[in-house]
Amino acid sequence: MALVPYEEGGGCAARQLHSPSATFHFASRTIRLLQDWRRLGVAAVVWDAAVVLCAYLEMGGIDLRDRSVIELGAGTGLLGIVVTLLGKGSFVVSFKANHSCSARVTITDRAAALEFLESNVQANLPPELRPRAVVKELTWGKDLHKFSPGAFDLILGADIVYLEETFAELLQTLEHLCSERAVILLSCRIRYERDLKFLKMLRERFSVSEVHYDSSKDVHIYKAQRGTRKDDF
């Protein structure tokens, strides 16, 4: 799940986390998400890293149409929903076959969060896009046989770097999922020394650069690709 350390307390941020719902506007649509802190904890609330990555993708620097995309640790599903909406393409009819140019989006989390995640995804996608977004179980390093190696062009994660004991499994998962030309985008706050340790481990396997920083929310977005490849979509 998209878990990060958090201590309950007062203030506006805490009230937002404990709210039963959250509303956002992306891709010319209003997105209303259920939140359930009491039942599922930090996996069932929207964190700033997801909002910042959604805004970054909405700027249009990456063409999502006709791409195979996967989100890790999706939580409430905001990022996967926005990617599906932004990746909406045309429907091409040819003499051989009909083909949709929309993105193919896989939205993943652990089993305990799937029912909650699926409800948010279905509630916020128009009927014609629902078949383009699939919710699947994925525990890093354990369920990889369910996913074809190198099957994805774009791998996304928002605030998924949180426990040092999961770093090796997360890196194994990233290496398994990404194609040779894949782009990995990870958004996060740098809260602890271990977060920097993960970035060091990531750089040992991928070419990594920081592509965006939102100073108002203190959120970084890092792009990783295999080797020294610098290709963009």
Side-chain angles (χ1 to χ4, degrees), residues 130-147:
R130 288 173 191 164
R132 309 299 291 183
V134 177
V135 174
K136 293 187 67 173
E137 178 183 357
L138 174 55
T139 299
W140 303 335
K142 295 182 179 179
D143 297 326
L144 300 183
H145 64 281
K146 301 177 182 178
F147 300 84

Side-chain angles (χ1 to χ4, degrees), residues 6-22 35 37 42 45-48 189 191 217:
Y6 174 75
E7 294 181 1
E8 294 194 52
C12 180
R15 288 194 297 272
Q16 290 174 350
L17 293 177
H18 288 270
S19 172
S21 64
Q35 299 192 130
W37 170 273
V42 292
V45 294
V46 179
W47 296 89
D48 285 342
R189 283 182 177 164
R191 296 176 174 89
K217 298 184 183 298

Side-chain angles (χ1 to χ4, degrees), residues 191-206:
R191 296 176 174 89
Y192 307 103
E193 187 68 27
R194 62 176 176 264
D195 301 337
L196 296 174
K197 180 178 179 179
F198 174 80
L199 290 175
K200 180 180 178 181
M201 294 171 67
L202 187 68
R203 289 189 172 99
E204 291 172 354
R205 294 163 172 81
F206 299 93

Side-chain angles (χ1 to χ4, degrees), residues 7 10 21 31 48 57 60 79 96 120 124 131 168 173 204 215 218:
E7 294 181 1
S21 64
I31 300 170
D48 285 342
L57 292 171
L79 181 55
K96 291 185 178 180
N120 273 335
N124 286 281
T173 301
E204 291 172 354
S215 58
D218 191 26

Side-chain angles (χ1 to χ4, degrees), residues 146-166:
K146 301 177 182 178
F147 300 84
S148 299
F152 296 95
D153 305 311
L154 178 62
I155 303 172
L156 303 172
D159 247 341
I160 62 173
V161 178
Y162 59 94
L163 291 177
E164 189 169 347
E165 56 263 35
T166 68

